[in-house]
Amino acid sequence: MRALALSVLMASSAVAAGPADWAGTWSGECVLAPAHDGIERFPASLTIGKTDDPARLRWMLVYETGRRDVRNYELVTVDAAAGRYVVDEKNGLKLEAGFADGVLYAPFTIGQALIVASYRIGADGAMRADMPSFANVPSSTTCLEANADTCAASFPLQGTQHCTLKKQTMRKLD
């Protein structure tokens, strides 16, 4: 009986650990390396919330880099059980995303860059949003000596953006 209760608890917690459970406003700081246009650190926030469509979550990123840059996206559930989502930038761009082991991954190319965005909640309760950027053309390709048909391509790192965001608690106004 105890094993059954534990398995039910584990199954229900596994289902509950999806992007919808991250709803709320998260704010903190992002770090760029190398600095871009003289900016190395900047405040940022992410608001995740429900919309009229239960398959869509509001996913609004705000960067404060001397000007306010608002990215008002939606995260669309394609198949939650399979961890399949789409980031709808609402400008024609729709990026496939995958959710596995508590991490939302959204790799994409734009211009000359391959960006592998990931979002996760750490043990400390803070959200980590990482967006390393690589050249989208390999800088080298090497193959196994014992099997020349098995090759790997390497992509040089162009820069990184790492954000640490803490969930903001709502308080009642008196």
Side-chain angles (χ1 to χ4, degrees), residues 35-153:
H36 180 72
D37 290 338
I39 299 170
E40 185 176 316
R41 297 176 176 278
F42 58 92
S45 66
L46 171 62
T47 300
I48 301 169
K50 294 179 180 179
T51 67
D52 292 339
D53 181 347
R56 292 178 171 266
L57 288 173
R58 180 178 187 203
W59 193 271
M60 186 176 69
L61 285 162
V62 178
Y63 296 139
E64 302 287 352
T65 59
R67 66 178 177 88
R68 185 176 174 92
D69 182 9
V70 178
R71 299 174 184 198
N72 198 16
Y73 303 155
E74 289 182 344
L75 184 66
V76 182
T77 303
V78 175
D79 182 346
R84 295 186 54 229
Y85 295 83
V86 167
V87 176
D88 183 351
E89 293 193 1
K90 299 192 313 183
N91 60 7
L93 296 179
K94 294 182 180 180
L95 312 174
E96 290 187 32
F99 186 80
D101 197 25
V103 182
L104 180 68
Y105 298 96
F108 62 96
T109 61
I110 191 159
Q112 300 302 309
L114 162 63
I115 299 170
V116 184
S118 66
Y119 298 83
R120 74 186 50 136
I121 308 295
D124 61 356
M127 178 180 287
R128 304 292 191 285
D130 296 312
M131 294 170 220
S133 174
F134 303 88
N136 67 359
V137 175
S139 59
S140 66
T141 301
T142 55
C143 302
L144 289 174
E145 293 173 3
N147 184 355
D149 291 338
T150 303
C151 301

Side-chain angles (χ1 to χ4, degrees), residues 168-174:
Q168 303 304 298
T169 56
M170 299 301 290
R171 61 184 179 92
K172 185 177 177 182
L173 299 175
D174 295 328

